[in-house]
Structures are given as structure tokens and as C-alpha cells.
Amino acid sequence: MIRKGTVKDIERIIDITKACAKTMVQQGIYQWNEHYPNSTAFENDVLRGELYVLENQKELIGCIVISTFMDDEYLPVSWLTENHNNIYIHRLAIDPRYQGQGCAQQLMAFAEGLAKKNGHPSIRLDTFSKNLRNQTFYEKRGYKRLGNIFFPKQSVYPFYCYELKL
């Protein structure tokens, strides 16, 4: 079941993102660290009504942020659609114990359905350049890679921007 996230969910979400970070480090992917993601980001997501969580038998196992806010880092990217009324995906995380079971697919299908239902022209996101699994995941869903951005507190390596026209 997918539902809106609440402040009460944040502690569990942080546990999931830390477990994801640990799993990625074991694979040589240094995408998430002590600076990101953090509780403050998730608290802001809840306040804006943009945090959604995935539950399996009442256990929170994943999250996604579905936002209409465009970060300044995205401004230089040559997007496929105009910068108007787009959806931005952030902080997609699945408890490593549930990865590979279609959970991320469920969350992305939910986000894409919500965007279509509300008349958004596209969905945009970024993923770490060293995370080949994520790149393949989004490309198989039809997302087009468009440009690179940097988050200096996260990595010296770029993040790739993707967009799916709806």
C-alpha cells in the first residue's frame, strides 16, 4: 500500500536510507552520506505533502518524494519540456531486504500515474553517475538522460538528470 508519509514515519525512513547507503558503499557507490538524505529534508517533504511511503503488511519498506519544486541545480539542464508544472522525484529508497522485488517499480508507477492524472507534462529526476543499477532502472522505464549536475556535499562525481515526457 502506498500512502502519504507523516512525521512519525521519518525515523523508519532514516533507518532505511542508512541501510541503503551501507549497501551502496559495499558496492562501491558513494551516493548517500551523513549529509544526505537527512531528517530535515524529510520533515520538509511531509510539510509540503510530497512524501509517500510504501508499506508491506503495515511495515514501512520504502519511500519516494513527488515534488513540483525545481531545485536550482536543475536550471542549467536542457530539459525536454518547458520548466512549468513538472514533477520531480527525490529520495526514492527501498529497504535493502525488499530490493529486487518490484517495490521501486510500484513507487515509480504510482508517481507517474499521479503526474498523468494531474496533467503534468513530465517527470524529472537525477541519479548518481556511479549507480549503474539506477540508470538502467530509469532508462528501462523510458526516461531520457539529459545532462549532469553536481551536489558537492554528496560527491565529486556528477549526478545524471533524466526526464520522462508524459
Side-chain angles (χ1 to χ4, degrees):
M1 175 182 91
I2 298 172
R3 64 169 173 78
K4 285 258 187 162
T6 68
V7 171
K8 292 178 183 177
D9 296 322
I10 294 174
E11 185 177 339
R12 172 70 180 126
I13 290 169
I14 293 297
D15 289 344
I16 290 171
T17 59
K18 285 181 180 177
C20 289
K22 183 178 179 181
T23 299
M24 287 188 283
V25 166
Q26 290 169 348
Q27 298 167 353
I29 302 168
Y30 299 91
Q31 177 175 340
W32 285 351
N33 59 31
E34 67 275 8
H35 301 291
Y36 185 88
N38 57 55
S39 296
T40 302
F42 287 114
E43 288 167 9
N44 289 331
D45 298 334
V46 170
L47 290 174
R48 289 190 303 263
E50 299 174 342
L51 177 65
Y52 292 84
V53 296
L54 176 64
E55 292 181 326
N56 181 27
Q57 299 179 357
K58 297 189 180 186
E59 178 188 8
L60 196 157
I61 62 169
C63 66
I64 189 171
V65 174
I66 305 170
S67 178
T68 55
F69 177 76
M70 182 170 139
D71 292 317
D72 288 343
E73 287 85 358
Y74 287 164
L75 288 172
V77 177
S78 295
W79 297 103
L80 300 172
T81 60
E82 290 184 39
N83 292 338
H84 176 72
N85 198 32
N86 307 91
I87 289 292
Y88 298 88
I89 300 298
H90 299 291
R91 296 178 279 289
L92 173 60
I94 303 297
D95 183 320
R97 296 174 298 151
Y98 292 91
Q99 290 179 4
Q101 299 177 30
C103 298
Q105 297 280 5
Q106 282 182 306
L107 286 170
M108 286 304 297
F110 175 81
E112 291 160 4
L114 192 65
K116 285 179 187 175
K117 176 182 163 190
N118 291 307
H120 297 282
S122 73
I123 297 181
R124 299 171 174 179
L125 54 86
D126 64 78
T127 193
F128 189 45
S129 59
K130 300 297 181 182
N131 193 331
L132 301 179
R133 182 179 178 189
N134 279 6
Q135 292 168 46
T136 300
F137 173 77
Y138 292 120
E139 289 167 8
K140 283 185 177 179
R141 294 191 70 81
Y143 286 77
K144 303 292 182 222
R145 185 173 146 198
L146 301 173
N148 301 346
I149 58 174
F150 289 86
F151 296 104
K153 286 187 176 181
Q154 282 182 258
S155 177
V156 297
Y157 297 103
F159 285 71
Y160 296 154
C161 292
Y162 285 84
E163 186 172 20
L164 176 69
K165 287 175 72 173
L166 300 174

